[in-house]
Structure formats: structure tokens, C-alpha cells
Amino acid sequence: MADDKVSRREFITKTSMAASGVVAGAAAGTGTAGAQEAEEYVQSDYSVRAKALVSVLTKKNLINPETMDAVVDYYENKVGPHIGARVVARSWTDPDYRERLLADARAVAREDNLTGVQGTDLVAVENTPDVHNLVVCTLCSCYPWPLLGLPPTWYKDVAYRAQSVIDPRGVLKKFGLDLDDDVEVRVWDSTAEVRYLVIPERPAGTDGMSVEQLAGLVTRDSMVGAEKLDSPA
Amino acid sequence: MNSIHDIGGMDGLTLPERDQGRILNEEWERHVVGVALTAWSTLIPGYAGSLRSDIERIPPELYLKMPYYAKWMWAEEVALIRSGLVTRDELDNPDSTMRTSNGSGGMPYSPHDVVAYIKDDDSYELPAEVPPRFAVGDEVAARNDHPVGHSRMPRYVRGRRGIIHNHHGVHLFQDDVDENVGQQHLYTVRFIASELWGSRAHPNDVVYAELSDYHLEAAG
């Protein structure tokens, strides 16, 4: 099977025409999907539906349940913010690495084997005393999976998507971060396939700590720009 | 299309607390993510491209009622049925005898192969065969256009002026447009917040969005 596998880029390129054809055909209709069908869907039991979906696909040999479990295990237990945290900690201790990361994060991700679905076209932005960066995807939920894992619920919430572009300071204040007026706030709306990693400021009182120790201080939400990091207690 | 998914700038919604627990909380969510990533990779031609447009066509009043992964499952069902791989009747009667699939899906990956697939280089950049229309520093305006199909240009930037901040080369263009628009260079465009939000904007705020040649006109 591995031999038959087309590369991700080939797959995307080959299938994009098919996708746009399908979508164009569907969009030529009423626009939105059938309201009655959608209403019934919302009223249904999602657990029952998901079981039915997996059962049908398995019976028809369209998915391998062990493969499905491997995917879920990967995103629940293998990939997550600890990966991004190590990148951040290394950027704090290695000025050359930090410079390369800020100049071309995608190249660094490739060098360090941090590529993957939803996150290869990576850009890193740094928070400083004068600049605060906040990442959002107003149209859906784009997020750097290979570095942070699947996004948390708050990041996908319609209120966050709606307000972070028009009132980022208000959102941050509700999240517990009150920024001074003279700080520049940069909001990054991931509308295409570029994915953003925020490099938070290194907390005071961490001189001499190792990369591993520093990585332990870096929170998931700080790498989205939703909070600043505290000095170690 | 101008639907509820394009929600940037809307008032009145209640911001949640930042959840810190597990990212998948229910067993059905695990199933939905598992199906998405196994089906995404091998089963349905164009699935990766159609997931978002199928979600965007959920009626707005129902979109707001659906949990996040319920929207994914909706799109999975829609795409699987459209592809001919499964029927509505089969999904409604999962204990019945399945007829042979008439779809052209690929073989499912083994558990080992799927992890390699997930870690594959996922870049959407393509070799450039045409020059970019814009350079870093150029003044541009986002087109005031309201397509009925899938678009990556959010409403809040349409007709607004910005500056090219970054150029990413040619990327796969995913908007649903009838005409053949050829290769599309992708840029990060920097908008001063007051250009987007008028007097309500903070003077020190800026918003960046990725937009393609197709979305942009020269300005200045």
C-alpha cells in the first residue's frame, strides 16, 4: 500500500479539480444544504450516527478500524503542544535558531521533521514588550496541528472567531491579559494554508534553565497569543 | 458564500473560558476525527477540498447549534454519499447487509502507514510558472466580490485597502470559481484595523489575512 501512496501534494493537486467540480455543481443549487435534512441531523444522537458511520465504512472495507484508532491515538497522545513548546524554548536559548525560525519557519519544520497535515506552511511570529500577536481562523478552525495538535474548543468557538479580529484587546482582557495601549496588537487570520506559531516572551527569572526546563513553562495558549507566560514560582 | 461561517467581526456572541482539558471529549468525536483522517487520505477524491465547503453550506441557524465535530460528521456523510461509496439508507440502517461499494475509493492505510501520511510534507506551495502580480510593500485592495461558492476571502476585508506584507509563492487555489484563473500567488496582506472597523478600531491594531492574486487589485 505504501508504494501506491501518492504524495500529499500530488493528492491535493490531482483532487482539487474534482473537488471544485463537485462543489460548483452543488453550489449551483440553492446554496445551503437541505434545511429539513440538517434539522433532522441536529436532532439526532451524534453517538449513534458516528457508530453507524464507522460500522458501514468498516463493513464495506472502506476504512480499517485499527487505522482509525491509530489516527486518534496519534492526535490524542503523540502530537500536541509539547512539540511547539520545545521549538519555543529552543528559540529562547539559541539566537541563530530563533533567527532562522522567524525568517523561514517552514524550512526549520522540514529540517526538524515537524511537518505534517495542517501545518507545513508555517510562519513564526514573536511577541515582544511592544508587539503582541494573536492567531485566529475566522472562516473555520485552521491551526498548526504538527506543533500544537488539534485545536482546543475555545479556539474553534464562533465567539472567538468573530471577536478576535474586531476587538482583540477585549478578547484578551476576558482571557486575563490586559495590554497597554501603546502595545501593537497583530491579529493573524489564517485564511489560506499558512499556519502560525506565536513565540511568547521568555519569562523573567529563567536564566540558566535548560531547553527542557523552559519547554515545561510554555503553555499551549501562549503559542496562539491568548496569554503571556508567568515567571516560574 | 456569504454564510455564518464567515463570522469575523460579528458582535453579540459569548466568549467561552479557555478550556484546558482533553481535545476530544466524547467517543463519537474520536470516531469523527478518525474517519476524517483515514477517509481524507485514501477514500474520496477531493475530500480534503470539499470538507470546508460542505460545512459552509449547513443552514446558518443550524450551524450555530452544531458542536464542532458534528459539523465534520455532517460533511463526512455528505461527501461519502455524493461519492457513491455509501448510501443514506446504509447509514440509516448500519446493521443491514451492505451492497458492494460502487465508489472508487483507495485501499485504507495500515495503522503504520497512516502515521507516515499524517507526518508527510503538507505544503500547499506549487512550482511557480507565472510571476507574482504583487511585491512586498505594494498597496492593494481586496476585491469587493461576493461569490456564491467557497471563498477564502473573508467578508470583512472585501473592498478594503492593505499592504502586501509577505509573499508565499504559488499556492493551491481553493476558491470555487467558474473561470480558469490559472496559478495563484499567495500573500499575507496587512490591514490597519481602522480600515476594517472604522472608529471602533484601536489605533495600534493591525489584522493580517492570506489572500491570492485573484482576490486583489492594485491600489494607491
Side-chain angles (χ1 to χ4, degrees), chain A residues 9-132:
Chain A
R9 187 187 297 177
E10 274 179 281
F11 178 78
I12 292 163
T13 311
K14 281 179 182 165
T15 57
S16 63
M17 294 312 290
S20 64
V22 165
V23 172
T30 54
T32 52
Q36 194 189 332
E37 200 184 339
E39 183 68 51
E40 283 168 12
Y41 179 85
V42 172
Q43 302 295 333
S44 66
D45 182 332
Y46 296 134
S47 297
V48 172
R49 285 194 96 98
K51 268 186 198 152
L53 183 60
V54 171
S55 169
V56 169
L57 292 173
T58 304
K59 274 181 162 181
K60 301 186 92 168
N61 196 29
L62 291 169
I63 62 167
N64 175 348
E66 288 175 22
T67 301
M68 203 185 77
D69 290 345
V71 168
V72 174
D73 176 59
Y74 185 77
Y75 282 112
E76 282 208 294
N77 302 314
K78 306 288 198 301
V79 69
H82 62 282
I83 296 174
R86 212 188 133 75
V87 171
V88 168
R90 199 173 151 200
S91 81
W92 288 342
T93 57
D94 181 344
D96 175 58
Y97 179 81
R98 183 185 186 89
E99 198 177 313
R100 286 190 295 125
L101 189 66
L102 292 169
D104 189 354
R106 185 172 66 172
V108 172
R110 282 175 169 155
E111 276 169 40
D112 296 348
N113 195 26
L114 300 174
T115 58
V117 171
Q118 288 292 316
T120 298
D121 295 311
L122 188 68
V123 169
V125 292
E126 62 175 338
N127 284 347
T128 69
D130 303 320
V131 174
H132 188 87

Side-chain angles (χ1 to χ4, degrees), chain B residues 80-96:
Chain B
L80 284 162
I81 292 169
R82 184 173 55 219
S83 70
L85 291 165
V86 304
T87 65
R88 175 81 269 156
D89 192 50
E90 287 169 338
L91 291 176
D92 288 344
N93 301 285
D95 297 327
S96 63

Side-chain angles (χ1 to χ4, degrees), chain B residues 193-210:
Chain B
S194 59
E195 170 72 9
L196 304 174
W197 314 113
S199 61
R200 188 163 151 189
H202 190 285
N204 286 338
D205 289 358
V206 287
V207 178
Y208 299 78
E210 269 78 57

Side-chain angles (χ1 to χ4, degrees), chain B residues 2-182:
Chain B
N2 288 349
S3 194
I4 191 70
H5 70 282
D6 187 359
I7 203 168
M10 183 171 167
D11 288 321
L13 297 156
T14 304
L15 198 67
E17 297 286 317
R18 282 186 285 129
D19 51 301
Q20 300 298 323
R22 302 190 66 84
I23 43 157
L24 300 174
N25 294 298
E26 311 270 352
E27 195 57 24
W28 69 265
E29 296 177 332
R30 295 188 177 87
H31 287 151
V32 170
V33 168
V35 167
L37 281 153
T38 49
W40 216 331
S41 55
T42 56
L43 277 183
I44 307 170
Y47 180 59
S50 71
L51 176 78
R52 283 178 59 169
S53 49
D54 282 328
I55 288 174
E56 291 166 8
R57 286 202 308 279
I58 295 171
E61 63 274 30
L62 298 173
Y63 181 102
L64 289 173
K65 287 184 188 170
M66 283 189 202
Y68 179 76
Y69 287 113
K71 293 180 201 135
W72 278 38
M73 182 158 60
W74 164 274
E76 288 168 8
E77 290 187 12
V78 167
L80 284 162
I81 292 169
R82 184 173 55 219
S83 70
L85 291 165
V86 304
T87 65
R88 175 81 269 156
D89 192 50
E90 287 169 338
L91 291 176
D92 288 344
N93 301 285
D95 297 327
S96 63
T97 308
M98 298 292 135
R99 64 185 179 79
T100 310
S101 165
N102 60 359
S104 56
M107 288 290 290
Y109 284 147
S110 72
H112 175 262
D113 289 342
V114 79
V115 173
Y117 161 75
I118 288 167
K119 286 193 65 67
D120 226 13
D121 189 322
D122 185 45
S123 178
Y124 280 63
E125 188 175 358
L126 304 168
E129 292 161 7
V130 298
R133 285 179 55 210
F134 304 104
V136 170
D138 283 358
E139 288 185 48
V140 292
R143 284 169 61 180
N144 180 19
D145 200 16
H146 295 263
V148 294
H150 179 68
S151 173
R152 297 298 181 89
M153 180 170 65
R155 265 181 286 182
Y156 73 83
V157 303
R158 294 177 193 172
R160 304 299 177 190
R161 294 159 70 103
I163 303 279
I164 300 286
H165 172 76
N166 202 350
H167 171 224
H168 302 283
V170 168
H171 274 230
L172 181 68
F173 186 60
Q174 302 190 77
D175 286 29
D176 174 21
V177 292
D178 290 335
E179 61 204 293
N180 178 8
V181 297

